[in-house]
Amino acid sequence: MHIPHLMQKRFENALESMTSTPEKYASMIRSTSDPNHGDFQVNLAMPLSKELGKPPRDVAGEVVGAVDVADVCEPPEIAGPGFINLKLKDDFIAAEITKLIGDARCGVPKRKSNDTIVIDFSSPNVAKPMHVGHIRSTVIGDSLARVLNFLGYNTITDNHLGDWGTQFGIIIYGYKHFGDPKAVAADPVPELAKLYRKVNSLIEFCKAKKRIPQLTSEIESAKEELAQLQSTDISSDPKAEKKHKKSLAGAERKIGSLQSELSDTQAKIDAVEQDPQANAEAIKHADIDKAVLEETAKLHRGDEENLKLWEEFLPNCKDEINRVYDRLGVTFDHTLGESFYHKMLGVVVSELEAKGLASTSDGAVCVFLDAFDAPMIVRKQDGAYLYATTDLATLRYRQNEFKPTEILYVVDTRQSEHFDKIFAVAHEFGLKDVKLVHVNFGTVLGEDGRPMKTRSGTLIGLEGLLDDAVERARQVVCDPERLKNFDPPMDAAEQEMVAETVGIGAIKFADLSHHRTSDYKFSLDKMIALEGNTSTYVQYSYARTQAILTRAEKLESDVYEMVQAHGITFTHPAERTLAVSLLRLEEALLTVHKDYAPNVLVEYLLDTARNYSRFNDNCHVLKAETEAIQATRLALVTLSGRVLQLGLSLLGVDVVGRM
Ligand code: ARG
């Protein structure tokens, strides 16, 4: 049930004779946060009054006189300068709640057309362990896929693995120079990860060395710029003074940040150079950055040895990430990966050239785009193809194979420019009938507000993080004081299952609770608390519904019969508030799709759980005064359980029967 849509239609009809754009005004309906203003408020009178040249209150009066919502709402009220307040009729709420009792989809209709939506998500670069940064794409993409699928779209999920890039050059180089074939064969995943880290730190050192002279000269010129600004005379122009001050501050900031980068970089170099063994190794591999690129290029050219190593390593890398997906309960329809498109890249480049979209510049094939300063390079001078080339081939393939209406790329905001370019080229490339969306997201920060790292400076591994969350969940929900209350007692296996469900759920839910474009601070303590904006709270609310149903010894079919016999009647405001909440799932889900924003569903579930809690605190169910009152309350408990469980499942979060 989508109540605002229903009312929007009614208002549209009423507005037809008053304006040529009734839909625009009718869409100005919002839910209210203050129950004194009813359940919904329509704020169309002010803007419409401008169009009609009449006072807003008069306009509101006219609209209210014309609109027919008598079956849904109490007579609309006009407040303040012309707000139209709508309060749902109890009868209407009761009838809708009765319908929900028999409906497994909790009042959310399935769309008729089965348009296809491709969701490209998770997509880690394999060959290095998954880290905290991979959480976001994985859980946001997974929950969007679940929601869209539930709404009735034909969803196709594709994990566009980075299985063909420099990271393989890194482990191949590592294996050739530092690898112990026996150790790798015996325990490949940690051994490859070790090699990856070793080579990566040598590359960092080598980059740091090259960065020092660059930084020194950048600081020189920034200082010159500052000196020039300081000597500019602006005394005659008071307006210029403000601007000048700003420029001075900017120039000083720039010098400051370059200087701090210089000292960080120098510290990294010193750390290596002070260790004779590390220093000797760094000198020996001084050109490792180029050498790694060469190993990657050899792989791409089909070099037998590198191809063989790649084939040997890839399954191990996949095992590693699959372990994480299993634990998270995330699956994909396809995991094609970048390597799958390798053979199509040459064709893409020649087609771009044939269509006159690409041209050669300094030996590289580039696509020049009007709206961008830098061109999109699709083949480098040395013949290597790029990330962008693969994305164009992928897009073409998806278009041909899946015929989607929409493709969502759930990828870090830092790749915005890449996708802007891909989408611009796609259009010129003839891929017009598909909506392409970069569902971008911000960074996970540590408690210090900086991108989350461990003490040694590498990104925190995802598996370790999941273990920590489950451990923390165990402390919170399997605390002996709490466990005393369970009858029959919780055995070890059940405790394990509860801790896992709560811990994993908390990480997902906390991530999804922030609007995807904002950065957020990762704090296990806050995520797992029983009270607060946590999945633990929602899971706990669900468990409370189940406890009541168990004690009442009622199945949903019994509740259904009771409601048939007695109808739904509200005797306490907390019942009504909860009921309205339960009717709003569809609204939340459609907004999740419209904005690609699972946080809307999170907010909805928290709100519903809070309303359930208020209901629980105020309304006896088992000891209800009459059977009719009990029927309504049992219906609300049953539906609350179902809505919370369904909503959480669409976020990829499980529930437990008791906790
Ligand atoms: N592997 C890439 C990375 O880790 C993300 C890929 C996203 N999907 C895509 N079609 N480009 O940065």
Side-chain angles (χ1 to χ4, degrees), residues 120 122-125 134 160-162 338 387 391 394 398 409-411 415 418-419:
D120 174 325
S122 197
S123 311
N125 293 332
H134 293 119
H160 189 68
L161 284 189
E338 293 181 7
Y387 183 47
D391 255 325
T394 308
R398 287 174 178 162
Y409 295 84
V410 187
V411 188
Q415 297 195 22
H418 166 75
F419 286 107

Side-chain angles (χ1 to χ4, degrees), residues 368-597:
F368 290 90
L369 293 156
D370 289 344
F372 301 89
D373 296 335
M376 182 167 103
I377 306 176
V378 287
R379 193 173 66 212
K380 289 202 287 194
Q381 215 176 5
D382 62 6
Y385 298 105
L386 292 99
Y387 183 47
T389 330
T390 307
D391 255 325
L392 287 177
T394 308
L395 187 50
R396 162 64 57 84
Y397 177 85
R398 287 174 178 162
Q399 175 93 343
N400 292 341
E401 281 305 300
F402 308 135
K403 314 225 168 357
T405 42
E406 235 172 281
I407 303 180
L408 312 183
Y409 295 84
V410 187
V411 188
D412 197 309
T413 301
R414 284 168 285 194
Q415 297 195 22
S416 291
E417 192 175 322
H418 166 75
F419 286 107
D420 286 346
K421 286 182 176 172
I422 293 288
F423 297 170
V425 175
H427 203 76
E428 296 187 33
F429 208 31
L431 304 174
K432 287 200 172 115
D433 299 327
V434 46
K435 180 175 173 192
L436 302 172
V437 189
H438 177 199
V439 178
N440 62 321
F441 55 79
T443 308
V444 184
L445 306 172
E447 307 245 15
D448 59 359
R450 306 176 80 185
M452 207 171 155
K453 303 252 166 97
T454 54
R455 252 166 279 137
S456 67
T458 52
L459 285 167
I460 290 185
L462 197 44
E463 283 199 287
L465 209 65
L466 299 181
D467 289 340
D468 288 354
V470 172
E471 198 38 52
R472 179 84 199 110
R474 199 189 318 277
Q475 287 163 14
V476 174
V477 289
C478 301
D479 163 22
E481 274 308 301
R482 288 189 85 244
L483 289 185
K484 275 202 313 220
N485 304 325
F486 288 95
D487 180 27
M490 259 198 205
D491 60 16
E494 187 177 352
Q495 287 181 38
E496 189 55 43
M497 190 262 298
V498 171
E500 182 81 16
T501 310
V502 170
I504 302 289
I507 291 213
K508 291 185 174 185
F509 191 91
D511 191 298
L512 295 168
S513 71
H514 302 90
H515 188 276
R516 61 181 163 78
T517 56
S518 37
D519 299 341
Y520 77 89
K521 277 191 198 168
F522 191 93
S523 157
L524 275 184
D525 285 348
K526 280 196 203 133
M527 282 175 189
I528 299 177
L530 273 164
E531 290 293 326
N533 299 334
T534 61
S535 53
T536 320
Y537 175 63
V538 183
Q539 287 167 323
Y540 178 60
S541 307
Y542 169 80
R544 287 173 86 183
T545 65
Q546 301 311 293
I548 293 182
L549 294 174
T550 310
R551 269 190 288 150
E553 295 182 1
K554 292 275 192 277
L555 297 173
E556 185 154 351
S557 52
D558 305 325
V559 177
Y560 185 77
E561 272 169 28
M562 286 173 80
V563 171
Q564 292 302 315
H566 297 282
I568 296 279
T569 39
F570 301 122
T571 49
H572 192 285
E575 295 167 332
R576 186 191 183 279
T577 309
L578 175 59
V580 173
S581 212
L582 295 171
L583 294 179
R584 305 190 64 177
L585 177 62
E586 186 185 4
E587 241 178 284
L589 296 182
L590 291 191
T591 313
V592 171
H593 181 196
K594 181 167 81 56
D595 300 338
Y596 307 103

Side-chain angles (χ1 to χ4, degrees), residues 68 86 207 241 257 271 311 324 458 515 541 577 599 608 617:
D68 179 10
L86 301 169
K207 280 194 187 147
E241 198 183 320
S257 91
E311 277 163 3
V324 174
T458 52
H515 188 276
S541 307
T577 309
N599 66 302
T608 306
D617 295 345

Side-chain angles (χ1 to χ4, degrees), residues 257-274:
S257 91
L258 286 170
Q259 270 165 344
S260 89
E261 192 188 337
L262 179 67
S263 67
D264 287 354
T265 312
Q266 191 58 52
K268 266 190 215 157
I269 295 176
D270 292 346
V272 174
E273 288 182 342
Q274 273 155 20

Side-chain angles (χ1 to χ4, degrees), residues 108-238:
V108 182
K110 200 169 181 149
R111 313 175 68 256
K112 297 261 157 31
S113 108
N114 59 344
D115 290 345
T116 296
I117 303 182
V118 171
I119 305 142
D120 174 325
F121 75 100
S122 197
S123 311
N125 293 332
V126 296
K128 50 182 174 183
M130 278 176 98
H131 57 74
V132 62
H134 293 119
I135 284 192
R136 298 218 77 181
S137 176
T138 308
V139 305
I140 296 170
D142 181 53
S143 93
L144 288 176
R146 288 168 189 261
V147 169
L148 296 173
N149 191 267
F150 179 72
L151 288 174
Y153 290 94
N154 174 29
T155 51
I156 297 181
T157 51
D158 184 12
N159 188 359
H160 189 68
L161 284 189
D163 61 358
W164 192 242
T166 322
Q167 64 283 13
F168 277 96
I170 292 180
I171 52 174
I172 291 173
Y173 184 95
Y175 185 79
K176 287 182 179 173
H177 293 84
F178 312 105
D180 170 356
K182 267 200 211 121
V184 173
D187 202 3
V189 171
E191 282 303 313
L192 292 176
K194 240 190 265 166
L195 292 175
Y196 181 89
R197 277 197 294 271
K198 172 153 191 120
V199 174
N200 203 37
S201 68
L202 284 167
I203 295 176
E204 297 250 305
F205 176 79
C206 154
K207 280 194 187 147
K209 278 288 227 197
K210 292 180 184 166
R211 184 80 184 118
I212 296 283
Q214 281 171 357
L215 278 169
T216 323
S217 99
E218 278 171 35
I219 291 172
E220 275 314 302
S221 29
K223 281 186 176 162
E224 271 165 35
E225 225 171 88
L226 178 67
Q228 218 162 34
L229 277 172
Q230 280 164 336
S231 63
T232 320
D233 179 19
I234 38 97
S235 54
S236 54
D237 182 355

